[in-house]
Amino acid sequence: MIRYKYGPWDTKYYDVFATLVARGLLNIYPSEKGDVFELTERGEYAVQELELPEFDDIIQRCIVVAKLFKNKPGSALKKYIYDNYPEIVALQVGEEIEVHE
């Protein structure tokens, strides 16, 4: 990922979102507070189909993110990153974020 204006971002997300929309799995629409991302019925079905043991780690991470940020604005995520990851905030915009697992 890359350090962007308000936190981590990767330009590959644009292609991922476009693919999900094109396949009828996701709708994205504007609102007064920013873009809203919403699974379609087909997208929800795909999620159910992917509930397999090999995806457990990703599923658990998504559950945590949903609990922390569901129905909150993007600024809440930005604040969380700024408050908890000073090493990311210290990077220059455009600098690559190294991932340590």
Side-chain angles (χ1 to χ4, degrees):
M1 297 181 87
I2 304 297
R3 162 66 160 100
Y4 197 63
K5 294 177 187 175
Y6 307 111
W9 183 253
D10 194 317
T11 55
K12 290 182 260 182
Y13 294 161
Y14 294 115
D15 293 337
V16 171
F17 295 143
T19 299
L20 293 172
V21 169
R23 292 179 185 228
L25 302 172
L26 182 71
N27 288 322
I28 304 173
Y29 55 91
S31 76
E32 291 179 5
K33 295 184 178 183
D35 291 340
V36 175
F37 295 74
E38 182 178 80
L39 286 175
T40 63
E41 187 175 314
R42 184 175 178 187
E44 290 189 25
Y45 177 77
V47 168
Q48 293 171 4
E49 290 292 305
L50 292 172
E51 289 181 346
L52 301 168
E54 54 263 32
F55 294 107
D56 280 348
D57 184 51
I58 294 170
I59 291 168
Q60 292 309 311
R61 290 178 191 213
C62 290
I63 289 169
V64 169
V65 171
K67 284 181 181 177
L68 287 171
F69 301 107
K70 186 175 183 176
N71 299 322
K72 292 185 180 174
S75 60
L77 178 57
K78 180 193 84 166
K79 181 178 178 351
Y80 181 85
I81 292 167
Y82 272 61
D83 290 348
N84 293 283
Y85 298 97
E87 66 277 12
I88 292 174
V89 178
L91 295 172
Q92 296 294 316
V93 171
E95 198 171 342
E96 186 170 349
I97 299 169
E98 291 186 34
V99 178
H100 303 282
E101 291 191 34

